[in-house]
Amino acid sequence: MREYAIIGGGIGGCASAALLNASGKDVVLFEKEPYLGGCASTFRHKNRYYNTGATTLCGYGEGRIVRKLFDQVGVNPDLIRSDPSIVVIHGDKTIPRYQDVERFIQVINEAYPHPKHTDFWHLIYMLATEFYTMEGYYYSNASRIQKLYSLCSFYPLLRKFWRYLFEDATTFIRRFYGTLDPYYLDFLDAQILIVSQVKSDSVNFLTCALALGYTFETNYYAVGGMGKVCETLTSKISDVHLSHPITSIQKTDKGFQILSHRESIEAKAIIMGTSYFESSQWIHESNINSYYKRYEHLNNHQSAFLLYLTIPNSREFAHHYQLISDNMIPFTLSKSLFVSISDPNDTKLSSDSTLSVTASIHTDERIWLSLPKPEYTHQKEHLATLLTQWICDTLMIDEHSILERFAATPKTFGRYINRTQLGGIPMHRHNLLPNLPSNDTPIEGFYTVGDTSYAAQGWPGVVMGAFNLMKVIR
Ligand SMILES: Cc1cc2nc3c(=O)[nH]c(=O)nc-3n(C[C@H](O)[C@H](O)[C@H](O)COP(=O)(O)OP(=O)(O)OC[C@H]3O[C@@H](n4cnc5c(N)ncnc54)[C@H](O)[C@@H]3O)c2cc1C
């Protein structure tokens, strides 16, 4: 009988397994694919490597939560600092998002002149910095009483930020600036969307500040691909089973029986690192499925379309770009495209004088999942062509020099990592904490982690959940 079985080797599963292992617990980690990382993995295609989805690592600065994780586990990821963390290209404007707030304010004043920028961006900087350093709160969902106790731990946070919690960000920003240029709002919205998965009219101002302020945190490029960060994180765990999809989980008197095509093991506790919205497809245990069902309404079906390119290493690029168009891009939910280019010194992703490109844009999974094959193929090719041209025109890449090009839709993600919804739980201002899942559940010994659990998506959000898990497990 194992102590903890962790299902899914994404950021959430790897972080939880590594923390438990570091505290001397007996853990076994199962990952469906032959490599770790899930949305934050790195895969091989025709002998070249590409980051699957996530490309930026935030939260590894001094005293920040991702740094604490690696310090606690006792391993160091191979990272290069990215400053500017993103270069935003909006029409004819280029806005590098420098980490230094004063340097950034200078740039924003040149791009969208306004006398209120200094006050606004100082407020964003202050809120983000204070929030990211606050500690002491935790969230439990095991019972009503435990939930109530845990919510009390948020009191200092509430007291500090309450005035930014109850108004949507667009109204707040409009009031702050007096007037609001819709073009500047597009710039803000594009960045809010990539962090919170909704636009400024749907988030409260605190969430908006965290989304706009994450570029003032130290941001990193992962050498050898994002998947290598998860490999490093789990390097001290002896029992990591790759290419090992779990097909069934059953509750027993003593814990859980976990089945894969290859074996059956028993564990006292189970930690699900898989998506809340999709796990019911392959779990055949009625009380677990009814638990997941409770949160089905939080699924906004948001997903991503990915374009992967190999280009020649012919000139210098930033690590990350965000391109913003004046118009919505067909078959997507967005006007903006996030483009990441491998560092030329990264010998894995940038081999043979080439660079690896991962570009992503928000889409709705329903635009893709129900299409008959010919329409699906046509739509995929149409969007891939359009995005390739956009990238080439904006970043001055000769389209004929592209050595490899292929794309992934929500359907592709479903096939590989068992999930088509890729945005986690959107940070919509009506998705209030007491209504959200935590990392513990009312089912004894059954825990969850990842971006559909507490706290949020991305490295800092998912790692915050792994630390919360350690608190509620105790
Ligand atoms: C396009 C895109 C770009 C992003 N960019 C960034 C970024 O730049 N920076 C950032 O911090 N975040 C980014 N994010 C968000 C971040 O990648 C996710 O929030 C995070 O990776 C989610 O981790 P997770 O552990 O919750 O789940 P997942 O990554 O979904 O991991 C779940 C794992 O479970 C495995 N699994 C599924 N079913 C089974 C089964 N039956 N048995 C065993 N294993 C199973 C899957 O294969 C997968 O590896 C991005 C996300 C996307 C989609």
Side-chain angles (χ1 to χ4, degrees):
M1 168 84 73
R2 306 300 300 256
E3 225 175 327
Y4 290 99
I6 293 120
I7 320 297
I11 298 175
C14 290
S16 311
L19 284 171
L20 285 167
N21 187 63
S23 66
K25 306 284 186 214
D26 164 52
V27 296
V28 52
L29 171 63
F30 293 104
E31 165 54 44
K32 171 181 176 289
E33 287 300 303
Y35 44 81
L36 295 169
C39 294
S41 59
T42 303
F43 67 93
R44 198 164 80 158
H45 175 82
K46 295 190 189 165
N47 252 359
R48 296 186 206 277
Y49 289 91
Y50 304 86
N51 279 323
T52 303
T55 50
T56 64
L57 197 149
C58 176
Y60 191 75
E62 205 54 59
R64 298 301 199 257
I65 196 147
V66 181
R67 171 69 71 94
K68 277 185 196 165
L69 167 70
F70 282 88
D71 286 352
Q72 211 151 309
V73 173
V75 291
N76 297 311
D78 192 357
L79 304 172
I80 304 176
R81 208 175 140 190
S82 303
D83 191 16
S85 36
I86 318 173
V87 175
V88 182
I89 303 181
H90 190 189
D92 60 354
K93 299 176 197 300
T94 299
I95 308 118
R97 296 260 5 218
Y98 293 117
Q99 189 183 354
D100 181 77
V101 65
E102 305 304 337
R103 194 170 175 206
F104 172 67
I105 290 171
Q106 215 174 325
V107 170
I108 200 87
N109 266 324
E110 280 161 22
Y112 316 90
H114 199 290
K116 287 286 182 93
H117 280 326
T118 306
D119 290 346
F120 181 77
W121 287 97
H122 276 147
L123 177 64
I124 298 288
Y125 177 79
M126 184 274 287
L127 288 175
T129 314
E130 288 199 3
F131 183 89
Y132 286 127
T133 45
M134 274 192 90
E135 285 186 34
Y137 50 90
Y138 76 103
Y139 179 46
S140 168
N141 212 4
S143 67
R144 281 192 189 168
I145 192 84
Q146 289 188 45
K147 178 184 277 198
L148 201 65
Y149 269 126
S150 70
L151 289 173
C152 294
S153 71
F154 285 84
Y155 178 67
L157 206 134
L158 261 177
R159 202 177 53 182
K160 190 158 212 150
F161 299 117
W162 68 270
R163 81 191 90 144
Y164 306 112
L165 289 173
F166 300 107
E167 191 170 31
D168 74 82
T170 315
T171 310
F172 186 99
I173 297 168
R174 242 182 248 289
R175 191 158 39 74
F176 195 97
Y177 275 97
T179 55
L180 194 58
D181 174 2
Y183 200 63
Y184 175 59
L185 187 62
D186 276 352
F187 165 79
L188 297 179
D189 263 336
Q191 284 160 86
I192 295 168
L193 184 65
I194 54 173
V195 178
S196 66
Q197 307 306 316
V198 277
K199 293 193 180 160
S200 58
D201 55 2
S202 303
V203 288
N204 62 41
F205 186 67
L206 179 64
T207 307
C208 159
L210 301 181
L212 292 177
Y214 97 93
T215 44
F216 297 132
E217 293 284 299
T218 321
N219 277 267
Y220 293 92
Y221 170 90
V223 181
M226 196 53 93
K228 196 172 157 217
V229 183
C230 283
E231 279 171 29
T232 306
L233 190 54
T234 52
S235 54
K236 292 193 172 178
I237 305 175
S238 52
D239 240 355
V240 175
H241 297 244
L242 300 178
S243 304
H244 214 118
I246 296 304
T247 49
S248 168
I249 290 166
Q250 252 137 50
K251 186 103 182 70
T252 62
D253 292 344
K254 291 182 190 145
F256 296 88
Q257 185 172 40
I258 300 146
L259 292 176
S260 72
H261 291 307
R262 291 195 218 154
E263 61 181 309
S264 156
I265 68 144
E266 282 191 82
K268 285 187 201 155
I270 193 163
I271 297 166
M272 301 298 298
T274 56
S275 161
Y276 263 63
F277 307 132
E278 273 122 331
S279 297
S280 295
Q281 292 169 37
W282 49 269
I283 297 181
H284 311 289
E285 173 67 37
S286 60
N287 62 341
I288 294 178
N289 284 340
S290 352
Y291 171 74
Y292 278 135
K293 238 187 197 88
R294 271 204 232 166
Y295 297 102
E296 229 168 50
H297 67 282
L298 296 169
N299 185 354
N300 64 348
H301 303 283
Q302 200 147 288
S303 193
F305 181 89
L306 271 294
L307 177 72
Y308 305 101
L309 305 174
T310 298
I311 59 170
N313 179 9
S314 53
R315 71 173 186 86
E316 208 177 302
F317 291 101
H319 288 146
H320 310 289
Y321 293 91
Q322 185 172 41
L323 316 186
I324 309 177
S325 158
D326 290 341
N327 304 307
M328 289 292 286
I329 309 303
F331 316 120
T332 78
L333 299 171
S334 182
K335 290 180 177 178
S336 85
L337 177 69
F338 200 85
V339 184
S340 296
I341 304 182
S342 62
D343 191 282
N345 298 314
D346 181 341
T347 51
K348 186 169 172 187
L349 270 76
S350 307
S351 61
D352 303 329
S353 305
T354 64
L355 300 173
S356 165
V357 180
T358 295
S360 61
I361 189 161
H362 286 84
T363 187
D364 187 309
E365 58 180 1
R366 292 165 295 193
I367 297 176
W368 301 92
L369 296 184
S370 56
L371 279 185
K373 184 100 202 271
E375 280 90 335
Y376 169 83
T377 310
H378 180 259
Q379 184 169 296
K380 186 175 170 187
E381 181 52 29
H382 181 91
L383 186 52
T385 307
L386 199 143
L387 298 182
T388 309
Q389 281 165 357
W390 189 12
I391 294 171
C392 288
D393 290 349
T394 316
L395 300 183
M396 290 177 293
I397 298 166
D398 176 8
E399 209 177 319
H400 302 292
S401 71
I402 294 176
L403 298 155
E404 190 62 68
R405 190 197 84 171
F406 57 102
T409 71
K411 215 172 179 166
T412 323
F413 278 87
R415 192 163 69 238
Y416 286 98
I417 61 166
N418 261 351
R419 66 185 286 191
T420 54
Q421 197 274 9
L422 295 172
I425 295 179
M427 293 157 87
H428 197 288
R429 67 197 183 96
H430 298 310
N431 285 345
L432 297 174
L433 185 61
N435 301 327
L436 303 184
S438 177
N439 310 104
D440 56 357
T441 73
I443 306 162
E444 204 191 329
F446 186 80
Y447 300 93
T448 65
V449 73
D451 63 10
T452 50
S453 251
Y454 178 84
Q457 67 133 230
W459 271 100
V462 175
V463 169
M464 200 183 274
F467 274 109
N468 190 59
L469 176 71
M470 298 306 121
K471 287 183 187 163
V472 292
I473 273 183
R474 267 179 229 138

